[in-house]
Amino acid sequence: MRGQTRREAGPVALLSEILRGTASLSGAACVGSAELFDPRDPHEDAIGGYRRHFAAAQVCRRCPVIDACREWADGDRKQAQSVTAGRVPKPPGRPRRSEKGGSAA
Ligand code: SF4
């Protein structure tokens, strides 16, 4: 409506709202090396992806906030394809019958 001013929260307030409830991972050892932890790219070979994730898990081993990270990751299933709290995703394998479109007989 005319004459009304719309008040929007600034970016700090927005980020604060988004991060509410997120564990504090200040001092995380992975800062600056996200590419090691990211999910495997579909075009990345399995051995290369495994080596990259193994290197990421080594970073986690010396991370001062691994316990808080693990607690956070346990509540977020989306982390299953990334290295989180030293956990390496399962390597790709044969598709399950249900993934191939077949029926379980
Ligand atoms: S445990 Fe690993 S993934 Fe979690 S904050 Fe530390 S370095 Fe990052």
Side-chain angles (χ1 to χ4, degrees):
M1 288 186 137
R2 252 190 187 166
Q4 284 188 330
T5 56
R6 184 173 170 198
R7 291 188 62 176
E8 291 186 12
V12 173
L14 176 61
L15 284 172
S16 175
E17 188 64 30
I18 291 169
L19 296 173
R20 187 183 312 272
T22 301
S24 172
L25 299 178
S26 179
C30 54
V31 171
S33 55
E35 69 283 353
L36 289 177
F37 294 79
D38 286 345
R40 197 172 72 81
D41 185 281
H43 304 293
E44 182 178 24
D45 70 275
I47 300 291
Y50 179 78
R51 286 184 176 148
R52 184 170 57 82
H53 284 166
F54 183 80
Q58 295 301 311
V59 173
C60 292
R61 289 183 64 191
R62 59 180 164 79
C63 180
V65 294
I66 190 169
D67 292 336
C69 180
R70 183 174 295 128
E71 187 175 317
W72 167 77
D74 284 347
D76 188 348
R77 295 288 84 194
K78 292 180 299 212
Q79 301 304 318
Q81 299 303 312
S82 305
V83 176
T84 312
R87 296 179 186 146
V88 176
K90 290 180 185 170
R94 284 184 8 194
R96 297 177 183 197
R97 284 182 192 214
S98 60
E99 293 172 1
K100 293 194 300 186
S103 61

